[in-house]
């Protein structure tokens, strides 16, 4: 109700009488009621029930500190923000809401206004966006900046990481904090890394799909907040532990050609551009951010440069505006004599026909590191299945669910008709085998076909 409360909703048309003013006592009572839950939470913070199940994801404390109705009321009285930030009961809650919401909502409102029209349908003029919080207000909010109320929560390996990320998010929203609260931010980052043992990296597990995200966010957050050379060097080491990106150039298609012709840079096939297709540039982007932090040891950064994918080195050369020592060292990384640009380029059937052995090219795609990466493997499988040059041996190596449910199902249908024929037992065995759970180990199409061979070939009688 509070979020939709808009007394002026029906009075914006020219000539309409304004809505009656809201009694101040009523406004204050609603504001107090909306701020009370967050103020109480800050006195005794506890993670929400079931939060462990999602603790590996990138969310910060915004769900607990969101206070959407509190911000909705607070946004209606910006002239009182300084007074409320110093309130003996609600001051901390107001400070948290201002740091998390003020700049973000001001930017959203400016975008809406820039895209909208006035009461008479005229285009509204673009206005230069001034900071929502003055420097004095930012200084008044510094006691809440580093989330001191959450410092002693249990499970620090998770809570410290989330708190660090939330602080970094606040600095992104309010860049002036980097100078106004530099010492406070450095101390908080040190304490959180130590308490949460954030640089003690466990070995990556096969089903840990958030591993890379945690490493990247920690590196980005420390690049922004830390002045500790050891911690910054540790973040570099964690980046080095990540798998190399699998950079794939998609096979030409009418859709791709149409999109490229209409809207994309003609250099879309350059390695640095391809690296950004699925945000695979984030590792080298985080490394560049660490290199730009004057407290990061140069050696910690340069030690990683030799491990980077050729496309990542190309991305540095084309995209990074960093310190000269970083750019020069990256440019000087020697390339092996037989090294190419590291891009797996998927060819059209017409291009494959020009090759002396198209089947060997398809096999090289299936043998490439790209099939080990969740972001690129499906693209490789699709190119192989759609190619008229594929053989049954190629298809047997691809996961059965990719063949049966994702790419060119008529290809699988013909093979299964030939394999099962009129055997009701083999069709029953196929139906039983086609129960692929999302998280279970995948079987290949070849393994599926082989499993059907064990079923007796009893023919249908009717």
């Amino acid at each position: 109700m509070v979020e939709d409360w808009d007394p002026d909703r029906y009075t914006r048309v020219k000539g309409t009488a304004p809505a009656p003013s809201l009694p101040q006592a009523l406004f204050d009572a609603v504001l107090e009621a909306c701020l009370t839950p967050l103020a109480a939470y800050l006195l005794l913070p506890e993670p929400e029930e079931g939060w462990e199940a999602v603790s590996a994801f990138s969310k910060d404390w915004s769900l607990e500190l969101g206070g959407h109705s509190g911000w909705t009321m607070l946004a209606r009285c910006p002239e009182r923000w300084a007074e409320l930030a110093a309130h003996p009961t609600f001051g901390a809650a107001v400070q948290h809401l201002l740091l998390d919401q003020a700049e973000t909502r001001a930017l959203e409102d400016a975008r809406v206004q820039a895209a909208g029209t006035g009461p008479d349908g005229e285009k509204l003029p673009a206005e230069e966006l001034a900071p929502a919080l003055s420097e004095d207000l930012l200084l008044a909010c510094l006691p809440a900046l580093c989330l001191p109320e959450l410092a002693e929560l249990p499970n620090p390996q998770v809570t410290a990481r989330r708190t660090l990320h939330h602080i970094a998010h606040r600095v992104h929203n309010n860049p002036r904090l980097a100078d106004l609260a530099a010492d406070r931010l450095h101390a908080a980052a040190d304490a959180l890394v130590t308490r949460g043992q954030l640089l003690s990296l466990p070995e990556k597990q096969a089903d840990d799909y958030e591993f890379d995200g945690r490493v990247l966010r920690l590196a980005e957050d420390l690049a922004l907040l830390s002045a500790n050379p050891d911690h910054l060097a540790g973040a570099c080491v964690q980046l080095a532990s990540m798998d190399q990106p699998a950079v794939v150039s998609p096979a030409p298609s009418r859709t791709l050609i149409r999109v490229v012709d209409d809207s994309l840079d003609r250099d879309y096939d350059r390695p640095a551009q391809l690296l950004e297709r699925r945000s695979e540039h984030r590792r080298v982007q985080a490394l560049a951010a660490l290199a730009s932090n004057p407290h990061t040891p140069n050696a910690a950064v340069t030690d990683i440069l030799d491990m980077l994918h050729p496309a990542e080195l190309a991305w540095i050369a084309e995209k990074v505006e960093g310190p000269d020592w970083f750019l020069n060292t990256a440019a000087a990384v020697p390339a092996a004599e037989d090294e190419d640009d590291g891009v797996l380029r998927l060819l059209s059937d017409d291009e494959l026909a020009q090759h002396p052995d198209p089947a060997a090219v398809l096999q090289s795609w299936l043998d490439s590191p790209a099939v080990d990466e969740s972001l690129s493997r499906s693209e490789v499988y699709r190119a192989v299945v759609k190619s008229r040059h594929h053989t049954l041996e190629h298809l047997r190596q691809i996961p059965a669910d990719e063949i049966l449910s994702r790419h060119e199902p008529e290809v699988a249908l013909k093979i299964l008709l030939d394999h099962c024929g009129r055997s009701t037992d083999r069709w029953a065995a196929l139906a039983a085998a086609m129960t692929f759970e999302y998280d279970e180990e995948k079987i290949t199409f070849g393994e599926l076909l082989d499993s059907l061979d064990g079923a007796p070939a009893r023919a249908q009688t009717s």
Side-chain angles (χ1 to χ4, degrees):
M1 182 185 75
V2 169
E3 292 181 29
D4 293 332
W5 182 21
D6 184 2
D8 297 323
R9 177 178 298 173
Y10 303 107
T11 62
R12 293 195 179 99
V13 179
K14 186 179 295 186
T16 303
S21 59
L22 186 69
Q24 189 62 46
L26 175 60
F27 183 93
D28 290 346
V30 176
L31 175 63
E32 179 177 332
C34 291
L35 291 175
T36 296
L38 178 55
Y41 174 84
L42 293 170
L43 292 175
L44 188 62
E46 293 181 355
E48 290 185 340
E49 183 180 356
W51 73 291
E52 296 90 344
V54 294
S55 61
F57 288 81
S58 61
K59 74 169 190 172
D60 51 31
W61 291 111
S62 296
L63 291 185
E64 286 84 350
L65 303 184
H68 298 300
S69 59
W71 168 252
T72 301
M73 291 301 298
L74 200 60
R76 292 188 168 98
C77 56
E79 72 284 354
R80 297 179 59 190
W81 285 355
E83 166 202 343
L84 292 169
H87 193 281
T89 303
F90 301 112
V94 171
Q95 293 170 27
H96 283 293
L97 289 173
L98 291 177
L99 289 171
D100 285 337
Q101 306 284 356
E103 298 296 346
T104 301
R105 298 305 177 93
L107 182 59
E108 290 176 358
D109 291 344
R111 287 172 177 164
V112 170
Q113 180 174 343
T117 57
D120 298 326
E122 76 278 8
K123 186 73 174 177
L124 294 174
E127 298 181 4
E128 184 175 350
L129 185 63
L133 301 179
S134 67
E135 184 170 313
D136 287 341
L137 255 179
L138 280 178
L139 291 172
C141 292
L142 290 187
L145 172 60
C146 297
L147 301 141
E149 299 90 347
L150 309 181
E152 301 301 323
L153 283 176
N155 197 358
Q157 289 84 357
V158 171
T159 57
R161 187 182 300 275
R162 290 177 65 191
T163 300
L164 183 71
H165 189 59
H166 196 145
I167 296 170
H169 187 65
R170 288 178 167 181
V171 176
H172 277 299
N173 288 342
N174 306 274
R176 291 169 294 162
L177 288 171
D179 294 324
L180 293 176
D183 292 341
R184 191 186 296 256
L185 293 171
H186 297 162
D190 279 357
L192 291 166
V193 169
T194 301
R195 173 169 166 75
Q197 301 178 7
L198 301 185
L199 294 174
S200 301
L201 188 67
E203 185 175 348
K204 181 178 180 179
Q205 303 298 316
D207 59 348
D208 186 1
Y209 303 111
E210 287 295 315
F211 178 89
D212 288 353
R214 289 195 301 273
V215 170
L216 289 169
R217 284 189 295 274
L218 179 61
E220 294 162 351
D221 295 345
L222 291 180
L224 181 64
L225 302 177
S226 180
N228 186 314
D230 291 336
H231 292 171
L232 293 165
C236 292
V237 171
Q238 289 199 1
L239 289 178
S241 71
M242 293 176 60
D243 294 332
Q244 290 262 5
V247 187
V248 176
S249 176
S253 67
R254 284 184 293 178
T255 301
L256 178 63
I257 291 171
R258 182 170 63 248
V259 171
V260 170
D261 283 347
D262 289 346
S263 62
L264 290 184
D265 192 319
R266 298 299 294 178
D267 290 335
Y268 75 96
D269 200 47
R270 294 175 62 83
Q273 292 290 103
L274 293 170
L275 193 68
E276 295 184 354
R277 285 182 65 224
R278 296 190 175 95
S279 299
E280 292 176 295
H281 66 293
R282 284 192 60 197
R283 177 173 76 154
V284 66
Q285 186 179 49
L287 182 64
L290 287 165
S292 297
N293 185 319
H295 303 283
T296 305
N298 289 12
V301 175
T302 56
D303 286 348
I304 301 179
L305 291 175
D306 289 332
M307 308 177 190
L308 295 182
H309 188 281
E312 291 178 302
L313 293 171
W315 194 88
I316 293 174
E318 295 183 25
K319 307 284 187 175
V320 173
E321 296 180 5
D324 289 341
W325 66 265
F326 175 63
L327 299 180
N328 294 336
T329 306
V333 172
E337 292 184 4
D338 59 345
E339 181 179 273
D340 56 18
D341 61 8
V343 176
L344 175 64
R345 287 187 161 80
L346 305 178
L347 308 177
S348 68
D349 271 355
D350 290 341
E351 291 170 322
L352 282 170
Q354 305 302 315
H355 197 278
D357 191 353
V361 176
L362 295 181
Q363 186 59 51
S364 72
W365 298 352
L366 293 173
D367 293 337
S368 73
V371 299
D372 297 324
E373 291 291 329
S374 59
L375 294 177
S376 57
R377 65 168 65 104
S378 193
E379 193 165 38
V380 175
Y381 295 148
R382 180 170 60 249
V384 173
V385 175
K386 288 175 71 70
S387 173
R388 67 175 181 265
H389 300 287
H390 71 241
T391 65
L392 179 58
E393 186 54 38
H394 291 129
L395 301 182
R396 287 178 61 88
Q397 301 170 57
I398 297 175
D401 64 330
E402 296 274 353
I403 298 287
L404 295 170
S405 60
R406 299 188 185 182
H407 311 306
E408 307 296 322
E410 64 274 9
V411 173
L413 178 60
K414 183 179 185 306
I415 295 172
L416 291 172
L417 285 171
D418 292 341
H419 199 82
C420 296
R422 295 174 61 81
S423 169
T424 56
D425 289 322
R426 286 187 177 179
W427 286 112
L430 175 63
M434 290 177 60
T435 54
F436 307 115
E437 297 292 339
Y438 174 78
D439 56 350
E440 73 175 315
E441 185 176 353
K442 307 296 184 187
I443 63 171
T444 66
F445 189 55
E447 291 171 333
L448 176 64
L449 294 178
D450 292 343
S451 72
L452 304 181
D453 289 340
R458 185 176 60 189
Q460 188 175 354
T461 58
S462 58

